[in-house]
Amino acid sequence: MHPHLLLSATELARLVREGRATASEIVGAHIEVAERVNPGLNAIVKARYEVARAEARAADERLAAEGSEGLPEFFGVPCTIKECFALTGMPNTSGLVSRIGRLAERDATAVTRLRAAGAIPLGVTNISELCMWLESSNRVYGRTNNPYDARRIVGGSSGGEGAIIATGASPFGLGSDIGGSIRMPAFFNGVFGHKPTGGMVPGTGQFPVAEGVALRYLTTGPLARRAEDLMPLLRLLAGPDGIDSGCTAMSLGDPDAVSLKGLRVLSVPDNGTTPVSKELRASQERAAQALRDRGAIVTEDRIPGLKRSFEIWSAMLGAAGGATFAELLGGDEGSFGFFGQLARWTVRRSPHTLPAILLGGLEGPSKLSPRRTAKAIAAGAALRAELVDRIGAGGVMLYPPYSRTAPRHYGPLFRPFDWVYTAVLNVTELPVTQVPLGLDRRGLPLGVQVAGVHGDDHVTIAVARALEEAMGGWVPPGQPARA
């Protein structure tokens, strides 16, 4: 691989500022890889390569004319953007056929902040239909394939981001997460992802967007090939924009100030209901040992409240209100007929994917009674309090991101609730960093979630950096498998 493709965005920006590489060279190297790998992946669904090259040339001209003083943090560095975020002039369908032809007229808040920091978007990346499934596939763009094994999923809904970053064609990207949509793609594709504390980053300018209290469950955050970039990107993205009512000002700590010596680490092997594969569990144990070797105090235990993860997530999200998934599927017309769409799907005439049809059809019947909803919400509040108490300020929890490494296409339909490992941490609003832990014997990425208490994003990121140093972090596709 070209050496630029292995570096963090922070290091690439340093090369540009110091005159050791031009923005044109860096952007060009990433585009070259994207053009080579994307036809087989279908990760970037609409490219803006020529515009990106022009923006890189303009950056080089500015540097030559003005010098490096005062340049923004990611000046001249390429990136990618999840298609559900508005990027001016680019499609913003969220994988919904009825939105084909809709182009963004202005940038989403997070996109504005990245571009103001000097980042150069290469294009927008694939998602699941309406961002509500863990297979990034839809009738607008088709399906994205895993760069480590094309027969396997990339996760969702930020699956295109995870896949293209894993290949080296993008150093970082923008994702969103209401049930694991940053962390599962980061896990299945062996890169880093960070779900911020609820309410830290505004979600303005993405479609669909949550409403009410769910604005704090839906989080916007970065995916990256190197852990070094997570905190600088979070600092850029964080803070109210005056539009997202769920976003509040929060102080951000410094990962450099976090010491692993004496750090409390709680390792939770599973949720008590959904088994985790032996290889994935073993990788978490190795991560725990790596932290222990660096002076952390590691304990292993189970948390019984996690057994109700799905019930808690669905009840709390449902109680938040807003448009239903079926209403969103219906588009501007507002109509979605489950049986009609299912019949059309069997003859390949539905504009929707099978997971979306099933989710839309089961949404009503699957709702809990008011009494059970109230009990589940109370259980969620109790679980949140217990997690905060068990993890503690300045501590972290290691927790599986899924039941196994990347399953084959359509596999999640047969085990549809395994994503609760990530989802429950959305409604508890905890910050979580997804950390790659090398590859298994089949060459598929391993990984672990590192969760902290509210506002301790810098702590989970510091642990991610330590685990990257200890265990290698991102391993580009095609490298020797190792566990």
Side-chain angles (χ1 to χ4, degrees):
M1 297 180 72
H2 191 289
H4 290 163
L5 306 178
L6 300 173
L7 300 178
S8 68
T10 300
E11 181 62 24
L12 291 173
R14 186 178 298 117
L15 294 181
V16 174
R17 285 194 300 271
E18 295 176 355
R20 291 187 285 150
T22 66
S24 295
E25 291 169 348
I26 291 170
V27 169
H30 285 80
I31 289 175
E32 182 180 342
V33 175
E35 289 180 322
R36 184 173 73 249
V37 302
N38 197 60
L41 294 182
N42 191 35
I44 296 176
V45 291
K46 181 65 176 178
R48 60 190 300 274
Y49 297 150
E50 293 311 311
V51 176
R53 286 190 173 100
E55 291 174 351
R57 290 193 296 270
D60 292 332
E61 291 168 2
R62 174 182 170 183
L63 179 60
E66 302 176 12
S68 61
E69 190 70 25
L71 290 178
E73 191 161 9
F74 291 103
F75 183 78
V77 177
C79 69
T80 41
I81 306 293
K82 185 179 181 180
E83 199 262 12
C84 69
F85 287 94
L87 172 59
T88 304
M90 301 297 282
N92 183 218
T93 69
S94 202
L96 197 62
V97 168
S98 63
R99 287 177 63 87
I100 289 177
R102 297 203 186 194
L103 303 180
E105 297 180 355
R106 61 182 63 85
D107 289 345
T109 296
V111 175
T112 297
R113 292 175 177 180
L114 291 178
R115 297 182 80 175
I120 298 175
L122 301 180
V124 293
T125 55
N126 207 15
I127 67 281
S128 54
E129 188 172 358
L130 283 175
C131 299
M132 280 298 284
W133 187 240
L134 60 156
E135 171 105 57
S136 287
S137 178
N138 55 75
R139 296 296 189 224
V140 180
Y141 303 116
R143 184 179 74 191
T144 301
N145 300 314
N146 193 298
Y148 295 87
D149 183 344
R151 298 169 297 177
R152 299 180 182 272
I153 72 170
V154 294
S157 59
S158 311
E161 282 300 317
I164 202 66
I165 293 168
T167 68
S170 176
F172 73 90
L174 184 66
S176 58
D177 188 318
I178 199 169
S181 290
I182 287 173
R183 289 159 290 155
M184 281 188 290
F187 167 49
F188 292 143
N189 295 280
V191 299
F192 293 89
H194 184 72
K195 183 200 86 65
T197 296
M200 180 175 283
V201 179
T204 308
Q206 62 177 297
F207 179 85
V209 70
E211 298 179 36
V213 68
L215 285 167
R216 298 179 66 87
Y217 306 157
L218 173 63
T219 57
T220 295
L223 294 88
R225 63 192 181 206
R226 299 297 182 193
E228 178 183 24
D229 293 329
L230 295 176
M231 199 68 207
L233 288 167
L234 183 59
R235 291 190 186 281
L236 287 174
L237 296 170
D241 64 352
I243 303 172
D244 184 335
S245 61
C247 185
T248 56
M250 301 182 193
S251 60
L252 296 175
D254 182 1
D256 291 337
V258 176
S259 172
L260 265 65
K261 190 168 185 178
L263 179 80
R264 289 177 298 170
V265 178
L266 171 64
S267 184
V268 180
D270 55 54
N271 63 11
T273 59
T274 308
V276 174
S277 71
K278 290 181 180 179
E279 205 161 11
L280 192 55
R281 180 174 292 189
S283 71
Q284 181 170 319
E285 292 171 354
R286 288 194 297 273
Q289 185 60 48
L291 297 176
R292 189 180 287 111
D293 291 342
R294 283 156 178 76
I297 302 170
V298 180
T299 59
E300 181 176 314
D301 202 358
R302 285 180 165 80
I303 298 178
L306 290 168
K307 290 181 179 181
R308 300 180 65 184
S309 291
F310 175 72
E311 187 179 11
I312 288 169
W313 179 85
S314 57
M316 294 181 71
L317 192 61
T324 67
F325 185 69
E327 288 170 343
L328 291 171
L329 284 177
D332 293 337
E333 298 177 359
S335 60
F336 170 76
F338 169 65
F339 292 106
Q341 290 298 335
L342 188 59
R344 294 182 68 187
W345 181 86
T346 62
V347 293
R348 300 185 179 182
R349 294 186 60 190
S350 175
H352 305 296
T353 58
L354 181 59
I357 293 171
L358 295 176
L359 286 170
L362 296 173
E363 186 174 38
S366 65
K367 284 187 177 179
L368 303 175
S369 67
R371 183 179 179 184
R372 286 190 65 190
T373 296
K375 286 186 175 181
I377 291 173
L383 176 61
R384 171 179 165 141
E386 182 178 6
L387 288 172
V388 169
D389 179 65
R390 296 288 300 274
I391 296 170
V396 297
M397 177 179 74
L398 304 184
Y399 193 51
Y402 197 68
S403 60
R404 60 201 189 282
T405 52
R408 296 201 179 205
H409 294 297
Y410 306 112
L413 286 171
F414 301 98
R415 294 175 62 172
F417 302 112
D418 288 14
W419 50 271
V420 295
Y421 277 104
T422 53
V424 73
L425 299 179
N426 287 84
V427 292
T428 55
E429 301 181 26
L430 302 180
V432 190
T433 306
Q434 177 60 41
V435 181
L437 299 176
L439 307 180
D440 69 10
R441 287 170 291 184
R442 294 175 297 177
L444 299 174
L446 296 160
V448 68
Q449 293 187 92
V450 180
V453 302
H454 306 100
D456 270 2
D457 298 66
H458 66 294
V459 179
T460 68
I461 290 172
V463 172
R465 286 166 35 175
L467 289 174
E468 179 182 35
E469 181 180 352
M471 303 183 71
W474 166 60
V475 180
Q479 300 298 309
R482 56 196 179 94

